[in-house]
Amino acid sequence: TFSGTRVEGDFSEAPSQMLENWVWEEESLRMMSGHYRDGSAIPQDLLSNLLSSRTANIGGKSMRQIYFGIFDQQLHTRDKVDTEKLASSLYRELMGIEQIEGTNMAASFGHLVGYGGRYYGYLWSEVISLDMFSARFGVEGILNK
């Protein structure tokens, strides 16, 4: 069945990622925001700037996900690996800069467990979630009854 986490790996994150889209719609932002003292509505210029900021740094965020996905695949296709060296060399190759010396990203990368070399699905789920959201709520609105 398709419930809980018993779905295809490429889809597993899509429902939660799709729900994140609601907070980036003007209609929902107006409903959940206001001045903390007097409750007045968020000014239009601030709202417009907030909505415009959604894609700020999207290239860096996407590269970070690509880095995690490639790291995960490389880690799961080798018999033995020095995770610190792998993370550092891959970061340098993809990002063009050095990681902070002495750090080991794998030590705090919680998604290594459970994905089994399929972390790339996280980024793919984001694409699926945007398609789902726009197909339904982009057409009918987010507060459709």
Side-chain angles (χ1 to χ4, degrees):
T1 64
F2 282 132
S3 64
T5 57
R6 293 181 303 210
V7 297
E8 294 296 327
D10 291 351
F11 182 79
S12 65
E13 297 287 342
S16 64
Q17 290 174 336
M18 185 191 69
L19 293 174
E20 293 170 13
N21 289 298
W22 267 280
V23 299
W24 287 105
E25 293 295 314
E26 184 171 339
E27 190 174 10
S28 59
L29 282 170
R30 286 192 180 285
M31 291 176 62
M32 68 175 111
S33 64
H35 193 277
Y36 78 102
R37 284 192 179 157
D38 64 20
S40 60
I42 186 171
Q44 183 60 46
D45 62 327
L46 181 57
L47 182 60
S48 296
N49 288 338
L50 181 61
L51 291 169
S52 295
S53 74
R54 181 178 186 174
T55 56
N57 301 315
I58 195 71
K61 292 173 185 175
S62 296
M63 281 303 298
R64 180 175 181 263
Q65 293 303 320
I66 291 167
Y67 166 71
F68 288 154
I70 293 172
F71 178 82
D72 185 40
Q73 286 184 341
Q74 289 188 10
L75 187 65
H76 283 89
T77 56
R78 298 177 183 192
D79 291 330
K80 203 171 189 180
V81 65
D82 179 329
T83 59
E84 184 178 353
K85 285 182 183 174
L86 174 61
S88 180
S89 66
L90 185 59
Y91 196 82
R92 185 180 326 103
E93 178 186 339
L94 293 175
M95 304 298 202
I97 58 175
E98 299 291 330
Q99 280 191 318
I100 298 171
E101 188 176 337
T103 62
N104 187 352
M105 178 279 298
S108 63
F109 185 31
H111 284 79
L112 281 177
V113 177
Y115 277 84
R118 296 184 311 263
Y119 185 81
Y120 69 88
Y122 186 86
L123 194 54
W124 186 238
S125 285
E126 194 168 329
V127 173
I128 295 168
S129 77
L130 289 170
D131 284 347
M132 290 171 20
F133 188 84
S134 64
R136 177 68 185 257
F137 303 104
V139 173
E140 299 177 15
I142 60 169
L143 299 178
N144 175 25
K145 295 182 182 187

